Amino acid sequence: MATDYDAPRKTDDELSEDSIEELKSRRVDKSASSVDVDEAEQAEGFELPGADLSGEELSVRVLPRQADEFTCSRCFLVHHRSQLAKEVNGQMVCTECAA
């Protein structure tokens, strides 16, 4: 919210002169703008077309770790040797985990 610092400011007397109706309307406006919505509960009701994949079977060919690859000792992902940042006590660490 932008603030105009050049605008004249209200004194304490002027602030106390606000009408009770004006204050009540401000309170109603603030309470009306905040709505409590549980996003997780709302998302459960959505059904995507073709989303039932229970009968599907995935076939992925898994390759063993190659000679030019290493397994990071922190994230346990297999990386190429070019991603090796450091080796501490025989434990290899990738550049992402070393950062």
Side-chain angles (χ1 to χ4, degrees):
M1 182 173 156
T3 304
D4 184 10
Y5 292 105
D6 294 330
R9 298 182 186 189
K10 291 185 175 182
T11 63
D12 290 337
D13 294 336
E14 290 173 334
L15 289 174
S16 63
E17 291 176 2
D18 287 337
S19 68
I20 192 76
E21 289 80 20
E22 184 180 343
L23 294 174
K24 284 182 183 178
S25 68
R26 285 186 201 165
R27 179 199 264 166
V28 171
D29 290 343
K30 287 182 182 177
S31 64
S33 65
S34 63
V35 178
D36 187 22
V37 176
D38 186 9
E39 294 175 5
E41 186 176 304
Q42 188 178 18
E44 288 176 2
F46 293 125
E47 193 72 34
L48 297 176
D52 184 21
L53 300 175
S54 60
E56 295 294 319
E57 192 171 313
L58 297 176
S59 58
V60 178
R61 196 171 116 215
V62 179
L63 297 174
R65 188 176 70 212
Q66 303 297 308
D68 61 344
E69 296 175 332
F70 72 98
T71 304
C72 178
S73 61
R74 293 189 185 168
C75 66
F76 303 105
L77 295 176
V78 177
H79 296 279
H80 189 265
R81 288 271 182 200
S82 63
Q83 297 293 313
L84 180 63
K86 61 183 175 181
E87 187 173 348
V88 180
N89 298 333
Q91 303 290 322
M92 298 181 185
V93 179
C94 69
T95 54
E96 293 177 12
C97 291

